[in-house]
Amino acid sequence: MATPLTDQEKRKQISIRGIVGVENVAELKKGFNRHLHFTLVKDRNVATARDYYFALAHTVRDHLVGRWIRTQQFYYETDPKRVYYLSLEFYMGRALQNTMINLGLQNACDEAIYQLGLDMEDLEDMEEDAGLGNGGLGRLAACFLDSMATLGLAAYGYGIRYEYGIFNQRIKDGWQVEEADDWLRHGNPWEKARPEYMLPVHFYGRVEETEEGSKWVDTQVVLAMPYDTPIPGYMNNTVNTMRLWSARAPNDFNLRDFNVGDYIQAVLDRNLAENISRVLYPNDNFFEGKELRLKQEYFVVAATLQDVIRRFKTSKRNCSDPLSFDSFPEKVAIQLNDTHPAMAIPELMRIFVDIEKLDWDTAWDITKRTFAYTNHTVLPEALERWPVRLLEKLLPRHLQIIYRINQIHLDHIVSLFPGDLDRMRRMSLVEEDGEKKVNMAHLCIVGSHAVNGVAEIHSTIIKTDVFKDFSELEPEKFQNKTNGITPRRWLLLCNPGLADLIAEAIGEEYVKDLMQLQKLNDLVDDDIFIRDVSKVKQDNKLKFAQYLEKEYQVKINPASMFDVHVKRIHEYKRQLLNCLHVITMYNRIKAKPSAPFVPRTVIIGGKAAPGYHMAKMIIRLITSVAHVINNDPIVGNKLKVIYLENYRVSLAEKVIPATDLSEQISTAGTEASGTGNMKFMLNGALTIGTLDGANVEMAEEAGQENLFIFGMTVDEVAAMDKEGYDAMKYYKSIPELKQAIDQIKTGFFSPKQPELFSDIINMLFNHDRFKVFADYEAYVKCQEKVSALYEHPKEWTQMVIKNIAAAGKFSSDRTITDYATQIWGVEPTDLKIPPPSEPREAIEETARALRKI
């Protein structure tokens, strides 16, 4: 149970979490009791913790609704350029605490819930994560929505309302076991169904050539039902919308065919249509060319573009003027989050040419000026290449359009490079070697006016390697937009102790202008501030240690270094390298039990794609190593290894603030950016990492001497690829590596199944694309430097402060400002929309003020 705040503590509480007014608290309690009674139909005698969570969620949602409606009215009045962020994934996590923070209600709600005799954290823990994403790409989309609302952009997130999100992971006997994530089982208080905006989406059929042009006929129809979720900006009264589509069968589905006499079977078959939005594909950085996935990709695109065009046609200006699509790119910007929504390009062309009867060249010009494409990976196995035979069956008209786009594109290449057939082959949207496939990245590049990578090093690789031919053709099209994270969720929400400490030191403005963290550089030598930062970290570690003890029944040493490696399990992220270091530390302790050793708790977590055998074996190895180490009395509390089960957004919010050392150890040139690295930096962890992704820019911002950088560079990796990587050379020349590998190979960690890890060993020696052995020695040496510094708490904390002070660049507010001004052609504003308490006329006044600006 939470303890009440003293008056002094209340005064001290910074307003970044809102004011506690008596009226405010009374109103919240009244709302809570009203919802418990009228919405949940319960009284305090029979209500459960979940009922209390729902009552609070509905109460907080009540405070959103007026602002939500107001925001949409304001956009209608001002008719700004709209930004549409299209993504197959939105990894939102929980909404309650984030909403309270962004509305300035957190302190008042805390007080109200306390006065009602309830515990806020218990209620917050009842909320299911909205796990509609796999990892970085989906979480980035969520951070972007928060920043777009905070910056006052008229922005919409569009995606799929998956009935089942990313699977829940259980570890049973050391293996990953997947469970369905039935996140909607108890209902979702944050969404509002909008059946009145339901739209048809077509599949299959054939193309008929008529005098009026091409007609797509004899299609199967699936309905797209929109569900809207409010996205509140931070303390600016803006509430934007995330619209997620759910698949519904039309009522005459399978009943139109008079020859179908089986009514019951026809109704049961409705499931086939509705399966489209049933489940998120659980692959991260891997393309699985399944028909259902292509259906999902086209479903979200077709529904969204109808919505975008409806909104364009019914805007204030277009209601009065004769309709023209000439202004479409001045009023609409569409960002494609990777190639997953790439079918939007041929779909918009189909609408313009077949339905709106624009000529091809005009339609293509408008389309290109509307779309922009973000690339998220250079791994070849992740690039989408759809078989032509599948497109021909599912979307025959779109395949024709893609062929025509490609023909015009290749004619252009030929005119510039006559006779260069190899260049044509490399740049074609259609790959002809083996089965004919459409390269979706090429489609996105040709059909967009801007293409961006997500960190400087990644954008360089795109331009000089992966899409070299395209960037030589149109260099001005290629940009960089280094990823960012929202400081609302990833500091205020997850680390209130640190957020308050910073606010006391430099004021509250940093929450909306994270570059102000630079002011903390003035406090690097301030003994009191150093002590306070250190204490916040220690408190967070104690709290997480208690959580681990409750959840895993393991006692850990809170004075030990918390060494954390949490992300999706993938060979390129090199959890195996970490594992080899853990084994090396274990062997050193065993060899010299009385030698000094800096205690560590190594925490590794993350999900493996269910079909990714090697990733699942890596989990099995880590859990086996953990079992041996944690049960060896000679090790004691010097070294503990924990596999963090079911890593997800809400668990990241717990572990990140408690971390001392952040592991970012991908092979240079493989991690496009990473965003976990930024979250750890902002929360006072130090980074051990390669010069990959955004690590490079983190080292630039903080000074390379303030990160633990090791390993091969991108150029050195490329050189090694040229000369050939010889794993055996490292195995033979590094005794500690040989010892660790031999232990895995001979069953030291799996005595009942000595051969258990033979697939891992075989991969490491014979086809390790990510060169684990090549960076082993440098990694172990670098880890020794980490331990040495950890023994000097003051110097460690000073380095922590320098890192926090340098984290400002990595706010998603900065990222979105760059997208807005350099790609979308819109300007962020700190204008506050009038709150619902002010009359409707206030909106028109604000709109007039905005027009003057």
Side-chain angles (χ1 to χ4, degrees):
M1 191 63 75
T3 48
L5 300 170
T6 65
D7 287 341
Q8 191 187 355
E9 281 175 320
K10 276 184 200 165
R11 273 196 301 276
K12 190 183 156 237
Q13 275 212 320
I14 312 291
S15 62
I16 46 176
R17 267 178 296 284
I19 315 301
V20 182
V22 180
E23 314 79 17
N24 222 346
V25 172
E27 189 202 347
L28 287 165
K29 284 163 72 178
K30 198 171 139 193
F32 179 92
N33 286 322
R34 184 171 55 83
H35 277 297
L36 194 61
H37 187 86
F38 287 104
T39 309
L40 294 153
V41 198
K42 291 277 183 92
D43 64 25
R44 291 291 296 262
N45 299 310
V46 292
T48 63
R50 178 166 282 107
D51 293 319
Y52 293 136
Y53 156 69
F54 273 106
L56 178 58
H58 279 104
T59 306
V60 170
R61 182 179 167 278
D62 289 345
H63 289 259
L64 272 174
V65 168
R67 291 174 173 94
W68 199 4
I69 292 169
R70 267 291 155 101
T71 301
Q72 304 316 311
Q73 290 172 343
F74 182 70
Y75 292 157
Y76 184 77
E77 288 299 329
T78 52
D79 192 24
K81 184 171 185 177
R82 260 77 164 194
V83 174
Y84 296 99
Y85 197 82
L86 262 64
S87 182
L88 268 283
E89 302 184 22
F90 287 94
Y91 203 172
M92 302 295 285
R94 293 170 173 168
L96 174 59
Q97 198 184 350
N98 184 247
T99 306
M100 293 190 297
I101 286 172
N102 282 11
L103 262 40
L105 284 174
Q106 186 165 36
N107 284 339
C109 286
D110 283 346
E111 183 63 25
I113 292 302
Y114 170 75
Q115 287 182 19
L116 289 162
L118 299 167
D119 183 88
M120 180 61 96
E121 273 193 42
D122 290 348
L123 301 197
E124 286 168 350
D125 270 330
M126 294 310 301
E127 183 174 359
E128 299 272 359
D129 279 46
L132 308 185
N134 277 284
L137 175 147
R139 182 54 235 175
L140 185 79
C143 283
F144 279 5
L145 293 183
D146 180 88
S147 285
M148 290 188 288
T150 296
L151 293 169
L153 302 181
Y156 303 75
Y158 272 94
I160 295 177
R161 179 181 179 266
Y162 300 107
E163 209 173 304
Y164 296 90
I166 187 64
F167 61 86
N168 285 312
Q169 178 196 56
R170 298 286 162 252
I171 303 294
K172 295 216 174 95
D173 304 321
W175 297 96
Q176 167 176 299
V177 178
E178 299 90 20
E179 291 174 358
D181 168 41
D182 192 6
W183 72 290
L184 293 166
R185 183 174 49 234
H186 303 287
N188 175 5
W190 304 106
E191 69 181 8
K192 176 73 185 81
R194 299 281 191 199
E196 68 274 24
Y197 292 118
M198 190 138 61
L199 295 166
V201 176
H202 298 261
F203 294 101
Y204 302 108
R206 58 192 174 82
V207 181
E208 224 171 50
E209 299 303 338
T210 69
E211 283 175 18
E212 292 91 63
S214 299
K215 277 210 174 91
W216 186 19
V217 298
D218 297 340
T219 55
Q220 290 182 22
V221 176
V222 177
L223 299 176
M225 162 95 81
Y227 286 78
D228 288 355
T229 299
I231 307 291
Y234 179 71
M235 301 290 282
N236 66 349
N237 294 330
T238 295
V239 180
N240 283 342
T241 302
M242 174 177 67
R243 177 162 284 182
L244 302 180
W245 301 102
S246 182
R248 293 279 184 276
N251 286 330
D252 61 357
F253 185 80
N254 270 12
L255 291 167
R256 288 160 302 201
D257 313 325
F258 57 90
N259 59 338
V260 175
D262 195 342
Y263 163 74
I264 297 292
Q265 193 55 46
V267 173
L268 297 183
D269 284 347
R270 294 170 62 84
N271 275 322
L272 300 174
E274 295 173 356
N275 278 338
I276 291 173
S277 56
R278 195 80 67 202
V279 59
L280 168 75
Y281 272 82
N283 303 314
D284 188 73
N285 277 297
F286 183 77
F287 171 58
E288 189 174 354
K290 295 279 195 288
E291 181 171 358
L292 180 61
R293 171 67 174 191
L294 182 56
K295 277 186 176 170
Q296 289 182 340
E297 292 183 355
Y298 178 66
F299 174 75
V300 65
V301 150
T304 298
L305 286 178
Q306 289 180 74
D307 221 29
V308 167
I309 286 169
R310 174 191 57 77
R311 200 173 285 118
F312 171 76
K313 286 180 172 179
T314 58
S315 73
K316 205 170 183 182
R317 205 175 56 147
N318 283 330
C319 284
S320 49
D321 300 349
L323 179 69
S324 160
F325 282 102
D326 294 348
S327 64
F328 194 77
E330 279 75 61
K331 285 293 173 188
V332 175
I334 304 177
Q335 192 68 35
L336 303 174
N337 194 25
D338 214 315
T339 58
H340 311 148
M343 289 308 295
I345 293 169
E347 171 66 4
L348 189 59
M349 284 299 287
R350 185 187 71 83
I351 293 168
F352 283 158
V353 174
D354 293 1
I355 298 167
E356 301 294 344
K357 303 298 179 192
L358 273 60
D359 69 90
W360 180 276
D361 290 346
T362 304
W364 184 240
D365 177 64
I366 294 170
T367 296
K368 270 181 79 158
R369 287 162 55 210
T370 300
F371 285 112
Y373 157 58
T374 302
N375 173 274
H376 281 274
T377 181
V378 297
L379 294 183
E381 64 267 34
L383 296 175
E384 292 195 297
R385 297 175 163 94
W386 285 107
V388 162
R389 56 168 177 78
L390 189 55
L391 286 165
E392 202 162 26
K393 178 172 82 155
L394 196 68
L395 302 166
R397 178 62 183 136
H398 297 77
L399 182 61
Q400 288 184 345
I401 291 167
I402 289 167
Y403 278 156
R404 184 161 175 192
I405 292 168
N406 195 36
Q407 188 59 60
I408 295 165
H409 163 61
L410 290 179
D411 288 346
H412 181 54
I413 304 299
V414 164
S415 72
L416 294 172
F417 306 96
D420 193 343
L421 292 175
D422 205 47
R423 184 182 296 262
M424 279 182 69
R425 185 188 50 75
R426 292 196 308 266
M427 294 185 76
S428 175
L429 309 193
V430 183
E431 298 177 352
E432 306 267 3
D433 43 329
E435 188 182 16
K436 270 174 85 165
K437 290 176 176 170
V438 176
N439 182 315
M440 302 309 274
H442 290 183
L443 174 61
C444 286
I445 295 167
V446 170
S448 300
H449 70 276
V451 176
N452 73 279
V454 290
E456 277 170 10
I457 188 174
H458 170 233
S459 298
T460 301
I461 290 169
I462 277 177
K463 281 186 279 204
T464 58
D465 185 13
V466 193
F467 304 133
K468 183 169 183 274
D469 293 316
F470 292 92
S471 102
E472 284 172 359
L473 195 67
E474 302 181 281
E476 69 291 342
K477 187 180 273 194
F478 288 78
Q479 304 186 20
N480 172 247
K481 295 287 169 278
T482 300
N483 284 162
I485 58 172
T486 170
R488 272 72 63 181
R489 183 175 296 268
W490 298 113
L491 184 56
L492 266 68
L493 182 155
C494 70
N495 203 341
L498 184 57
D500 284 345
L501 183 58
I502 293 170
E504 283 165 35
I506 64 169
E508 302 152 29
E509 289 298 301
Y510 77 90
V511 179
K512 289 184 88 160
D513 177 16
L514 208 62
M515 291 307 285
Q516 292 195 26
L517 290 178
Q518 288 172 347
K519 295 177 186 172
L520 294 176
N521 281 318
D522 298 340
L523 297 169
V524 167
D525 297 313
D526 183 317
D527 285 332
I528 294 168
F529 189 69
I530 292 168
R531 184 201 65 201
D532 289 345
V533 169
S534 181
K535 183 179 186 311
V536 165
K537 179 62 71 179
Q538 206 48 46
D539 291 347
N540 291 338
K541 288 173 73 173
L542 274 166
K543 190 174 180 187
F544 191 64
Q546 286 164 1
Y547 170 82
L548 286 181
E549 208 176 318
K550 181 169 76 84
E551 294 292 314
Y552 298 92
Q553 292 77 51
V554 277
K555 261 195 124 40
I556 61 170
N557 172 9
S560 66
M561 183 201 306
F562 285 16
D563 171 349
V564 179
H565 198 179
V566 285
K567 51 186 76 240
R568 287 295 292 255
I569 309 299
H570 203 298
E571 287 160 86
Y572 87 84
K573 294 176 187 283
R574 296 203 295 191
Q575 283 90 358
L576 278 173
L577 182 57
N578 191 349
C579 192
L580 289 175
H581 175 244
V582 169
I583 295 171
T584 302
M585 286 191 291
Y586 172 67
N587 288 333
R588 287 180 180 183
I589 294 169
K590 292 286 279 185
K592 296 179 180 170
S594 55
F597 185 86
V598 180
R600 287 204 191 208
T601 301
V602 179
I603 299 168
I604 303 177
K607 293 174 183 176
Y612 189 175
H613 169 71
M614 191 58 67
K616 289 186 146 181
M617 288 311 303
I618 290 167
I619 293 175
R620 187 67 185 89
L621 176 61
I622 295 164
T623 55
S624 302
V625 170
H627 181 76
V628 169
I629 293 175
N630 296 345
N631 291 292
D632 191 324
I634 293 170
V635 175
N637 68 356
K638 288 178 182 170
L639 183 60
K640 282 270 179 283
V641 182
I642 289 169
Y643 199 90
L644 204 52
E645 186 177 83
N646 204 30
Y647 182 62
R648 59 199 185 281
V649 175
S650 58
L651 189 47
E653 290 162 8
K654 292 179 169 75
V655 68
I656 291 171
T659 299
D660 292 308
L661 184 68
S662 157
E663 300 266 358
Q664 308 297 335
I665 60 177
S666 54
T667 311
T670 62
E671 189 72 89
S673 167
T675 45
N677 46 5
M678 303 167 188
K679 291 160 196 169
F680 285 108
M681 184 187 201
L682 185 59
N683 281 278
L686 297 183
T687 302
I688 184 167
T690 50
L691 285 173
D692 197 20
N695 297 355
V696 177
E697 289 160 78
M698 286 163 54
E700 270 170 28
E701 295 294 303
Q704 192 157 331
E705 70 280 6
N706 294 309
L707 279 78
F708 296 99
I709 297 292
F710 74 94
M712 296 180 290
T713 62
V714 167
D715 290 341
E716 287 164 344
V717 171
M720 183 172 287
D721 279 328
K722 227 175 174 178
E723 70 191 39
Y725 164 62
D726 178 12
M728 188 59 77
K729 179 179 82 179
Y730 299 97
Y731 171 78
K732 284 178 175 166
S733 63
I734 307 167
E736 286 187 309
L737 174 61
K738 182 177 190 301
Q739 183 187 6
I741 291 297
D742 288 349
Q743 286 169 312
I744 297 169
K745 191 159 51 176
T746 57
F748 180 87
F749 298 107
S750 53
K752 290 179 181 164
Q753 294 171 268
E755 304 281 285
L756 184 58
F757 302 117
S758 57
D759 287 351
I760 292 181
I761 295 297
N762 178 39
M763 178 274 290
L764 285 171
F765 279 105
N766 301 315
H767 45 93
D768 177 9
R769 295 163 57 204
F770 306 106
K771 306 173 181 64
V772 170
F773 291 0
D775 275 342
Y776 168 84
E777 199 167 21
Y779 180 55
V780 172
K781 285 202 173 100
C782 195
Q783 287 282 17
E784 288 166 11
K785 284 192 210 162
V786 175
S787 289
L789 186 65
Y790 194 74
E791 292 202 274
H792 299 92
K794 182 180 174 179
E795 287 82 354
W796 178 280
T797 305
Q798 286 179 302
M799 198 181 275
V800 162
I801 294 165
K802 288 176 193 170
N803 272 268
I804 298 170
K809 174 180 178 177
F810 305 107
S811 169
S812 47
D813 297 346
R814 188 270 316 152
T815 311
I816 289 298
T817 299
D818 288 350
Y819 275 98
T821 56
Q822 296 161 30
I823 295 180
W824 303 331
V826 293
E827 282 295 325
T829 172
D830 48 13
L831 199 83
K832 235 179 164 180
I833 294 176
S837 51
E838 290 182 29
R840 170 88 203 237
E841 295 76 64
I843 283 192
E844 277 133 44
E845 265 172 57
T846 313
R848 277 195 295 276
L850 191 68
R851 277 194 286 272
K852 274 181 197 159
I853 294 167

